[in-house]
Structure formats: structure tokens, C-alpha cells
Amino acid sequence: MLAIGLTHYLVLAAFLFCCGLYVMATKRNAVGILIGAELVLNAAGINLVAFSRYETGLADGQIAALFIIVLAAAEAAIAIAIFVNYYRLLGTIDPDAGDRLRG
Amino acid sequence: MNPLTPNTWLPTAAELRLFAPELILIATIVAVLVAPILIGRRPVAVAFLALAGVLAGLYACGAVAVQVGAGAQGVLSPPAEPPLPPMLMADRFSLFFKLFLLVTLAAIVWLWMIGAGQAQRWAGVENRARPLAAGPEFFVLLLTSALGMMLMVGSLNLLVILIAIETASLPSYALVATDKRSRLGAEASLKYVMFGAVSTAIMAYGISLLYGRFGTLDLSTIAAQIAWMPPAADLVFWLGLLGLGTGIAFKVAAVPMHLWCPDVFEGAPIEVTTWLSVASKAAGLGLLLRVVEAFSASAALSDAVVPLTWAVGVLASVTCTVGNLAALRQESVKRILAYSSIAHAGYMLMAGAILVAASGDAAAHGDLPRAGMAALVAYLLVYVTMNVGAFGATALVAWQTGSDHLSSFTGLGRRAPWVALPMALCLFSLVGLPPLGGFAAKWFLLVALGKAAGVHPWLWVLVTVAVLNTALSLYYYVRIIRQMYLTDDDALPPVRAPGGGLVMVNACAVLLLLLGTLWFSPLGQRAGRLATHVFYSPVPARPQEVPSPTGHPPAALPAEAPRMALSAGHTPPYHGK
């Protein structure tokens, strides 16, 4: 049986991080970019929990992961509110459609 | 040592009193939220409530500063042996920034009240009617972002830094879109929230890497570990630091995390622009210095000092140059001032480069960190005055004419002499011309850079960049002044500015004149004294070494020895690979 260890979690987190970066860089949709940011935040959460379980043995990493979940929720709430406002005024949520501010 | 010891601990009243400014701000936020239920939606009454709360916070901040000056220890941590590292701190460093933030906040609330008066005049007029009704929500968001910034400068823990940055950022995103009918506001807030989400996420990942590498989220413990294990070729450490740096660079709007800044500053209501350009930057710089200070005290980092100084120096030069070059071809005054604030963040980062250069080997550098810090403190004090003045004058013009385009400033010297004159003085001060405060700020910065260049000769590059950029910036500042005084159109009516606004911008101008002349050397001395006081006070109380507010600065830096002592006690074993 293959024992699951720290490395597995770190690789998973790094993979999520890369997916998040890719999504943030390529998506032409505000919600898509937000999802990319959430992927990266979750990568950070997995890292924190894995390190705290396998390395430090302290609860502080897991507490930090809980806080990151809360931060992600708060950020999503405010971001979606802003998207709705943007959509109401521009009829799209493509960030590139906002071209009045240039230079 | 497990921080989750089962016996419950609550801070005593004396400990809590040291965080009175934050607590008062929180109480004000709740009061502002509840007030519309009790007294109905009366925005101006709520504004007065908010102003009262800010002034009370300011008073508390001064009282705490006196207490801390007398040797009180501003940390919240449960009694334990050996002592646990604190998460939040009320030391001289954070108190200086808190005072600074609260004064700015009071100015912003005042500016909003002036704008509210204007809004009542222009109610119903297309383009000029302003969203007065959003008053209560506006103040809740404004005060919450101020609270986050106050936490940013007092945090000693990576998790608290993350939470504080988010507490400051999330309300700011919404503040930018306060005017829900404004298309520019919607665009600006979308760009802001996108940039913010990305940089926060990367920062969180960086923090998780640092946690894994050092087994702790506490800054001082990490610094102590660096002293044991030189991280020169440690990829995880540098990646983690890069992530942390991304988040801080976003707050300071340093290149390459500056792209949001001009768009947000142009699209946001002008009070919000002023708030973000001054407070958000100051808090970001405070946090940067806190991190640099924590990491730099360990001598083991001295191998990394030269590349790190290079990195900060290059960042500062690029930030400065990009800001100034982009400002040259702008037509909106708000946008010109936005790029100018990027350039000024660059100058302030140069002071940060001095601090990094002087870190590592404390003995070889003697007075340098103090000089760099003093330059930064003086720069910040002058910067807030010129920016509030310049943005305030722009606001007065924009509220009257309905636009902040350069053409709105045509003939302002005739149409509103008491707006044009302080605006011109603020702009000359932003260039750094004598006899204004801006000159004093640049002078102290260049002298400190010159001193540091005596130790690290390549820092002369930074001096050259700063001087060249000053010359470059002259062009676009003078362009506004030229528009105000040398062009005129008799058809344009006079601009009637409200009395409160005139008092505000003229007070800023007078202050700048005083700072550049009579208060030139007092500014330097006061900044120097603050700089000796702002450094991280050690956790074990050492009242005999704490200088009194009027005393002489201590000969040596007080930071080094106690942190080493701290590291011996409770440092978790080294885990990283």
C-alpha cells in the first residue's frame, strides 16, 4: 500500500496553484478569474493543513486554513456584488469590455 | 509550545486599553451601522457621528502613545513561560502610523461633508448630482478599511497580516463603486477587485510556503530561524517571500502591481481616491518596513542583503520612472495625480532600500537605518499634506464643473484664486521645489541615500534616478499650473468653492510653506526622533532603556539582542527540507 504523505499534499497544492494561475491568466470572464483566485487560495489552505499535520504538529496551520476559507467567502461575496453592478451597467462581465479607463 | 492551552485566557483591561484606537473605531462602525435604524437615513448626521468616532480614536491614540512612550508593553499574549510571541502589537512604530491614518481619515470625512454640501446644491443636475444617500454605507466601508490598515501596521504574524490586508482591501473595492450609476466606478472597482483577489491569493500561497519552511507564522520566530539557518539558496523561502512581497506591493502600488492604481483612482469618487492614495500606501509601507525590520535583524541574512537591496532599489527606480513617464500624457487631473502617487511610492521605496541595505550587519552601518527611517517618516508626513491639498483642490473644481479634465482648470487663477493658489503650491511641493515641504522631504531622502551610498556605492544610482525623475515630473505638474494661470477663457464663470473646502486646501498649502521654511529643521529632528522610537520594541520590558519622548536617541539599535534571546526560548525545531 502506498502511504499518503506530506509530498502528495504539496504536489496537489502546487498543481492547484498552477491551475489557478493558468485560469487567472487566460479567462476572459470575471467569474472565471475569481474561480482561479479561489483555486490558489485553496492551494494555500491545503499547504497549511498538510504542513501543520505532518511537520509542526500545531493547530495554528489549521486555524490559518479556516481563516483563509472565511476570507475566500468574504472576497467572493464582495466580488460578486461588484460583478452584478458591472453587468447592470455594461451588459457583460468581460473585464476587457471596461475600456473607458485607459492610458 | 501549543498556543491552544486549555486554560482560558482573556486580556486584562490594561492590556486592552493599549488597543483603544482600534476598539473605538470598531464601536464607531457599529454605531454608524445602527444609527440609520434609530434616527433615519440622515447622511450628514451619520457623517458627524463618524467624525466624532475618528476624533475619539485620535485622542485615544495619543493617550496610548504617551503610555507606550513611558514604557508600557503593547502586546496581547497569554502568560506563558517562555513567553509566546505576540500577534498584534501597539508599539511606537504602529502608533505613529495609526495617528497618521486617523488624521487622514478625519480629513477624508471632512472632505466628504464638503462634498455632501455640494451635492445638496446640485441635486437633480445631470453629472453633478452625487450619491449622498449612500452615506451610512460609505462610512461603514471607509472606517472598516481604516481598521484593516491600523491592524496592518501592528501585526507581527503572517496570518494577522493576511487578515488585516483583506480587512483593508475588501471595503476599498466596494468604496470605489459607491456611486452605483457610474460606469467608470463599476469598471474601476471590477479591475480593483480582480487585481486584489489575484494578489491576495498569491500572497496566501506564499505565506503557506513560509509556514511550511519555518513551522511558524510568527515573524520574529521566523527571523530567529533565519539567523540559525542561512536561507541563501533556499527556493521555498524565496518563493514564499516573493508571494508575501506580491501582496505588499499590491497595497503600495509598486511596479508591476501598480496597474490597478490609475484606473481605480480615476474611476473612484474623489474622497476615496484621496483615501487610497494616502492611507493605503502608508499602511502598505508600514507593513513592508515591519517585515523588512523583522527579517533584517538577523546577521545570517547579510549574504542576501546585496541582492535584496538590488531588488528593492530596482523596484523603487522602476516604480518611480513608470509613474512619471505615464503621467506625462494624461489629460485627467485625477489620473495625473494617480500616476504621481505611484512615482512617490517609488521615492518612498528608496528609503526602504536604505533600510534593507543597512540590515544584516548592524555594527557596520551604525546610524543608517535610523536615517532611512527618518527620511521615510518625514516624506510620509509631507506626502499626506500635499496629496490632501492637491486632491482637495481637484475635488472643489470637479464638484463645480462636473469634470476633472485638464480643461476644467482653464483660467482657474481668475475664476477661483483661492483654489488655484494652494493647488499650485501643492503641485510645486509634489515636484520638490523649495521653499515647500516637498523639497524638505526630498532633501532628507537624498541626504540619507547619499549617506547609505557611502557604504554601498551603487546606491548612487538611486540618487541619480531620484533627481532625474524629479526633473521629469516638473513637466506634468507645471502643465496643470500653466492651464490654471496662463490660459483663460472669459466665457467661463467663476468657480464658487465652499468655505470648508477653501479652509482645507489653504491650510494644507500653509502647512507646506511652513514645513519648507520655518519647520524645515524641526521636521528633520522630529522625524529622526520618531525613527528611533518606531523600531520594534523588544518583548521583555526594558523600561530603563526606553527613551522618554523628549530624551536623546539611544546610541545603538535596540532591536538586536532581545530577539536573539527570544529565539533561544521557544523556537520550534527546524523542519524544512
Side-chain angles (χ1 to χ4, degrees):
Chain A
M1 257 322 256
L2 176 70
I4 301 229
L6 176 62
T7 320
H8 297 89
Y9 288 104
L10 295 190
V11 169
L12 171 67
F15 175 70
L16 268 182
F17 178 74
C18 293
C19 286
L21 273 192
Y22 176 77
V23 168
M24 291 191 292
T26 56
K27 279 284 170 192
R28 285 273 151 273
N29 180 313
V31 175
I33 297 173
L34 184 67
I35 291 174
E38 302 290 316
L39 285 179
V40 174
L41 277 175
N42 284 329
I46 292 177
N47 259 356
L48 283 167
V49 173
F51 280 130
S52 114
R53 166 73 178 75
Y54 288 98
E55 292 280 314
T56 63
L58 299 182
D60 54 355
Q62 301 185 26
I63 293 169
L66 279 178
F67 270 104
I68 284 183
I69 293 170
V70 175
L71 286 182
E75 196 168 72
I78 206 131
I80 301 267
I82 286 172
F83 296 167
V84 169
N85 189 40
Y86 186 84
Y87 184 79
R88 219 165 39 78
L89 288 164
L90 276 84
T92 170
I93 47 167
D94 179 359
D96 292 340
D99 52 3
R100 292 274 182 86
L101 296 167
R102 275 277 175 263
Chain B
M1 158 123 334
N2 191 337
L4 293 178
T5 37
N7 41 345
T8 325
W9 165 82
L10 284 172
T12 62
E15 283 173 318
L16 276 182
R17 204 170 295 139
L18 292 166
F19 294 90
E22 283 93 336
L23 296 173
I24 289 178
L25 213 53
I26 292 172
T28 314
I29 292 168
V30 175
V32 167
L33 260 180
V34 175
I37 303 170
L38 300 179
I39 60 168
R41 292 192 68 86
R42 282 159 44 192
V44 178
V46 170
F48 274 105
L49 184 63
L51 190 62
V54 173
L55 292 179
L58 209 51
Y59 173 77
C61 212
V64 173
V66 170
Q67 259 183 300
V68 170
Q73 282 302 311
V75 295
L76 287 177
S77 70
E81 199 52 52
L84 288 169
M87 288 190 163
L88 207 57
M89 186 149 201
D91 57 354
R92 299 191 183 86
F93 178 89
S94 58
L95 280 166
F96 164 70
F97 276 96
K98 281 176 202 169
L99 275 172
F100 177 89
L101 287 169
L102 285 171
V103 170
T104 316
L105 188 58
I108 302 296
V109 176
W110 187 9
L111 194 60
W112 185 91
M113 288 163 142
I114 299 164
Q118 294 294 89
Q120 277 162 347
R121 261 173 63 128
W122 290 110
V125 181
E126 193 64 28
N127 263 339
R128 301 188 194 178
R130 303 179 65 256
L132 185 63
E137 287 77 21
F138 175 84
F139 286 109
V140 171
L141 295 169
L142 183 70
L143 295 175
T144 313
S145 80
L147 177 69
M149 289 171 192
M150 285 166 75
L151 292 177
M152 264 164 82
V153 294
S155 51
L156 293 173
N157 184 295
L158 292 176
L159 178 61
V160 180
I161 289 176
L162 185 65
I163 295 171
I165 284 194
E166 283 292 84
T167 314
S169 296
L170 293 181
S172 310
Y173 304 148
L175 273 179
V176 171
T178 318
D179 185 358
K180 281 188 290 186
R181 290 162 306 169
S182 152
R183 186 183 149 147
L184 291 187
E187 280 184 38
S189 65
L190 185 87
K191 286 177 182 169
Y192 197 14
V193 77
M194 296 278 78
F195 255 96
V198 171
S199 63
T200 315
I202 291 176
M203 181 176 171
Y205 194 75
I207 286 174
S208 77
L209 289 181
L210 286 177
Y211 174 71
R213 170 66 178 74
F214 296 104
T216 176
L217 288 165
D218 177 57
L219 270 184
S220 58
T221 316
I222 291 178
Q225 293 232 23
I226 294 173
W228 284 3
M229 290 273 162
D234 189 330
L235 188 63
V236 176
F237 170 71
W238 290 113
L239 279 179
L241 208 58
L242 187 68
L244 186 62
T246 307
I248 299 175
F250 165 72
K251 284 312 277 181
V252 185
V255 170
M257 303 303 292
H258 73 291
L259 289 169
W260 59 273
C261 183
D263 287 355
V264 168
F265 282 14
E266 190 183 347
I270 200 148
E271 305 93 330
V272 179
T273 306
T274 317
W275 172 245
L276 292 178
S277 80
V278 176
S280 172
K281 235 157 249 207
L285 278 167
L287 177 57
L288 178 72
L289 291 181
R290 176 74 87 184
V291 174
V292 165
E293 218 278 310
F295 283 171
S296 65
S298 49
L301 208 64
S302 54
D303 291 343
V305 159
V306 172
L308 212 56
T309 321
W310 266 105
V312 177
V314 168
L315 203 68
S317 319
V318 173
T319 304
C320 210
T321 316
V322 165
N324 278 327
L325 282 179
L328 292 179
R329 54 195 171 79
Q330 300 305 326
E331 292 294 321
S332 150
V333 172
K334 244 162 133 188
R335 207 169 169 90
I336 290 177
L337 290 176
Y339 277 114
S340 126
S341 82
I342 296 180
H344 282 273
Y347 297 129
M348 288 188 258
L349 277 176
M350 286 181 187
I354 302 175
L355 285 176
V356 181
S359 65
D361 192 0
H365 296 99
D367 209 26
L368 261 189
R370 201 173 75 82
M373 193 66 163
L376 185 71
V377 167
Y379 209 109
L380 269 177
L381 288 175
V382 174
Y383 176 74
V384 62
T385 320
M386 358 192 234
N387 251 24
V388 169
F391 275 114
T394 310
L396 294 180
V397 174
W399 286 335
Q400 286 295 313
T401 61
S403 145
D404 60 291
H405 193 269
L406 205 53
S407 58
S408 312
F409 285 73
T410 307
L412 204 66
R414 170 185 62 83
R415 294 159 67 203
W418 291 105
V419 178
L421 185 66
M423 179 73 176
L425 286 175
C426 287
L427 291 173
F428 275 129
S429 174
L430 282 163
V431 181
L433 292 182
L436 293 159
F439 173 72
K442 283 240 169 71
W443 172 258
F444 292 129
L445 177 68
L446 289 178
V447 166
L449 269 175
K451 262 193 215 164
V455 186
H456 299 275
W458 65 269
L459 279 174
W460 286 116
V461 177
L462 284 190
V463 178
T464 321
V465 170
V467 171
L468 284 180
N469 265 298
T470 303
L472 192 62
S473 68
L474 190 63
Y475 172 76
Y476 61 84
Y477 291 127
V478 168
R479 218 169 127 220
I480 306 177
I481 296 168
R482 189 179 145 268
Q483 191 75 19
M484 291 194 300
Y485 282 103
L486 298 181
T487 58
D488 204 351
D489 182 351
D490 287 336
L492 290 170
V495 172
R496 269 183 229 295
L502 286 180
V503 169
M504 183 165 176
V505 291
N506 283 292
C508 286
V510 170
L511 212 58
L512 284 175
L513 270 174
L514 284 172
L515 284 170
T517 51
L518 288 179
W519 291 353
F520 188 97
S521 50
L523 173 68
Q525 286 161 5
R526 181 53 59 101
R529 210 153 54 220
L530 265 170
T532 56
H533 284 191
V534 291
F535 278 109
Y536 180 64
S537 325
V539 178
R542 296 187 307 163
Q544 72 279 11
E545 284 185 38
V546 175
S548 66
T550 52
H552 297 289
L557 256 145
E560 186 75 21
R563 186 170 297 123
M564 292 313 182
L566 197 92
S567 72
H570 60 275
T571 307
Y574 169 65
H575 291 292
K577 299 280 184 305

